[in-house]
Amino acid sequence: MERKQEVSKAVIQRLPRYYRNICELQAEGVQRISSRTLAERMGLTASQIRQDLNCFGGFGQQGYGYNVDKLREELGAILGLRAGRTAILLGAGNLGRALLKNFDFAAAGFTLLCAFDADPSLVGKRFGGHEVRHATELYDFMEQNEPDVAVLTIPRGDAPSIARGLVDRGIHGLWNFTGEDLHLEGLGVPVENVHLSDSLMTLCHLIM
Amino acid sequence: MERKQEVSKAVIQRLPRYYRNICELQAEGVQRISSRTLAERMGLTASQIRQDLNCFGGFGQQGYGYNVDKLREELGAILGLRAGRTAILLGAGNLGRALLKNFDFAAAGFTLLCAFDADPSLVGKRFGGHEVRHATELYDFMEQNEPDVAVLTIPRGDAPSIARGLVDRGIHGLWNFTGEDLHLEGLGVPVENVHLSDSLMTLCHLIM
């Protein structure tokens, strides 16, 4: 099926949420779903859903709804999810360990290769099955394994210089939990910043 | 200074980022900043910044720039940040402990009162100075202390029913890290969902 039109950025930003709900439906064994039922589940309107998903061609059918398997496949392709990507994690403190133990990297097509930390007491330990290696091994490891993405859960302060070192050694993207601006503009390496405080401030605004 | 116009939702969503950068500048001892310097710092254009901040009245002056203290105060007021709000945290697993130890609740005006967990081995322990109490004490605690917001770092599964119980007992807002839809639509209690996987998927899309 061909794309009907160029997809807007606003729709793209909603896609992970669609994808997440469709994956849950698939896990629940649902094979098809109407826009109305999907809308109720997601707290959206049926017409919003039809409008969004129409951007990617007509895989919903009047009176039938959406084929869950097909929709997942299509949304995953648009999001660029595919198996075989690799990630490393820098900083095995509480947040790093929370991600190592609980976060489903595989759901986004990533294999987490290992973690790195400068604290010798953490080196050799495993969290969620992932080994912690010493930070001094990082560059050798990168040369041999060429990871796609680095997850930054290191403390603030060193993050920009560490990020620059990763970019110089060929990292393709950074998932940045440090709360610090990495100043990598113009280098062509996307950074996805997770600013938890922004989310709490948004909640502040909503409960005003 | 009066507002020039109704502020758009898009501007509101950028406000936490402005606020964060202004707080950092204040901490660095900066007293005033030009839109050009602020733009460089934030990776935006000076005209974008002038346009956004103009929505809140003219506290930037031609040839002088923005008064950092005043801008912080004004942005904080618009965001609804004010001291004296209280929060509790439910679920002292890795993610919960990462927040207890590292997250600056005070920066958003919150006092974190304590955490709750059903695991007896965690009860009585302190993380980042915050005590973990047994989950069975939760409702009594809420009655006596009337916390404004609950942070949900509990495992998936029970989250919607636990959230409903919190709302029934007067919680004003939920900061939801469970990845689960809480289904609280129409109850007038805002939920701010933190979906880390959405952020990783956005990164996937960007490195395609």
Side-chain angles (χ1 to χ4, degrees):
Chain A
M1 262 164 238
E2 51 187 324
R3 304 282 154 81
K4 279 189 183 159
Q5 56 191 79
E6 201 53 44
V7 179
S8 80
K9 204 184 157 201
V11 177
I12 292 286
Q13 286 177 329
R14 282 195 288 273
L15 282 188
R17 199 165 154 231
Y18 282 114
Y19 185 77
R20 185 159 29 83
N21 276 275
I22 293 298
C23 288
E24 286 170 7
L25 286 165
Q26 204 183 32
E28 291 162 17
V30 176
Q31 294 189 313
R32 60 176 172 152
I33 190 164
S34 69
S35 50
R36 197 165 59 87
T37 315
L38 185 58
E40 277 164 20
R41 183 187 179 99
M42 293 182 62
L44 297 171
T45 67
S47 85
Q48 166 87 80
I49 284 182
R50 282 193 296 268
Q51 212 177 318
D52 281 355
L53 299 183
N54 267 345
C55 297
F56 312 115
F59 37 69
Q61 277 175 271
Q62 189 97 35
Y64 173 88
Y66 297 99
N67 178 312
V68 169
D69 292 346
K70 225 159 114 187
L71 189 51
R72 177 183 176 156
E73 198 181 310
E74 182 80 6
L75 291 175
I78 295 158
L79 278 165
L81 310 182
R82 54 166 185 269
R85 280 188 173 139
T86 53
I88 52 173
L89 181 143
L90 272 61
N94 275 94
L95 181 58
R97 292 203 293 269
L99 291 173
L100 291 171
K101 285 185 177 180
N102 306 309
F103 187 76
D104 188 359
F105 286 93
F110 283 93
T111 302
L112 187 84
L113 301 175
C114 65
F116 293 88
D117 203 289
D119 178 353
S121 74
L122 289 171
V123 173
K125 289 201 175 156
R126 285 183 167 270
F127 301 102
H130 308 291
E131 192 191 347
V132 181
R133 298 182 180 220
H134 199 281
T136 52
E137 298 175 32
L138 174 63
Y139 290 161
D140 281 348
F141 184 91
M142 286 185 73
E143 207 176 312
Q144 284 160 39
N145 298 279
E146 300 181 348
D148 294 300
V149 161
V151 185
L152 297 187
T153 48
I154 49 181
R156 293 176 72 114
D158 298 333
S161 65
I162 290 175
R164 192 58 190 251
L166 295 168
V167 170
D168 289 344
R169 279 153 192 90
I171 208 80
H172 297 145
L174 290 158
W175 199 22
N176 177 26
F177 286 81
T178 67
E180 199 162 6
D181 199 323
L182 300 180
H183 300 292
L184 298 177
E185 293 81 14
L187 298 177
V189 175
V191 178
E192 181 66 17
N193 295 299
V194 180
H195 282 296
L196 296 179
S197 61
D198 288 6
S199 164
L200 183 58
M201 286 185 200
T202 305
L203 186 60
C204 272
H205 181 71
L206 294 171
I207 63 173
M208 254 170 113
Chain B
M1 262 163 237
E2 53 188 321
R3 305 281 155 78
K4 279 189 184 158
Q5 57 192 78
E6 200 54 45
V7 179
S8 81
K9 205 185 155 199
V11 177
I12 292 288
Q13 285 176 331
R14 282 195 289 273
L15 282 189
R17 199 165 153 232
Y18 281 114
Y19 185 78
R20 188 161 24 85
N21 276 275
I22 292 299
C23 288
E24 285 170 9
L25 287 165
Q26 204 182 33
E28 292 162 17
V30 177
Q31 293 189 312
R32 58 175 174 155
I33 189 163
S34 69
S35 49
R36 197 166 58 87
T37 315
L38 186 58
E40 276 164 19
R41 183 186 179 99
M42 294 181 63
L44 297 171
T45 66
S47 86
Q48 166 86 80
I49 284 183
R50 282 194 297 268
Q51 209 176 321
D52 281 355
L53 298 183
N54 268 344
C55 297
F56 312 116
F59 38 70
Q61 277 176 269
Q62 189 96 39
Y64 173 88
Y66 297 99
N67 177 313
V68 169
D69 292 347
K70 225 159 114 187
L71 188 52
R72 178 184 175 156
E73 198 181 310
E74 182 81 5
L75 292 175
I78 295 158
L79 278 165
L81 310 182
R82 56 166 183 270
R85 278 187 173 140
T86 53
I88 52 174
L89 182 143
L90 271 60
N94 274 94
L95 180 58
R97 292 204 292 271
L99 290 173
L100 291 171
K101 285 185 178 177
N102 306 310
F103 187 76
D104 188 359
F105 285 93
F110 283 94
T111 301
L112 188 83
L113 300 177
C114 65
F116 293 88
D117 203 289
D119 179 351
S121 74
L122 289 171
V123 173
K125 289 200 175 155
R126 284 182 167 272
F127 301 102
H130 307 291
E131 193 191 348
V132 180
R133 299 183 181 219
H134 199 284
T136 52
E137 297 175 34
L138 173 63
Y139 289 162
D140 280 348
F141 184 91
M142 288 185 73
E143 208 176 309
Q144 285 161 36
N145 297 279
E146 298 181 348
D148 294 300
V149 161
V151 185
L152 297 187
T153 48
I154 49 181
R156 291 177 73 115
D158 297 333
S161 66
I162 288 174
R164 193 58 189 251
L166 294 169
V167 170
D168 290 345
R169 279 153 192 91
I171 208 81
H172 297 145
L174 290 158
W175 200 21
N176 177 27
F177 287 81
T178 67
E180 198 161 7
D181 199 324
L182 300 181
H183 299 293
L184 298 178
E185 292 82 13
L187 297 178
V189 174
V191 178
E192 183 64 19
N193 295 299
V194 180
H195 283 295
L196 297 178
S197 60
D198 288 7
S199 164
L200 184 58
M201 286 184 200
T202 305
L203 185 60
C204 272
H205 180 71
L206 294 170
I207 63 174
M208 258 170 111

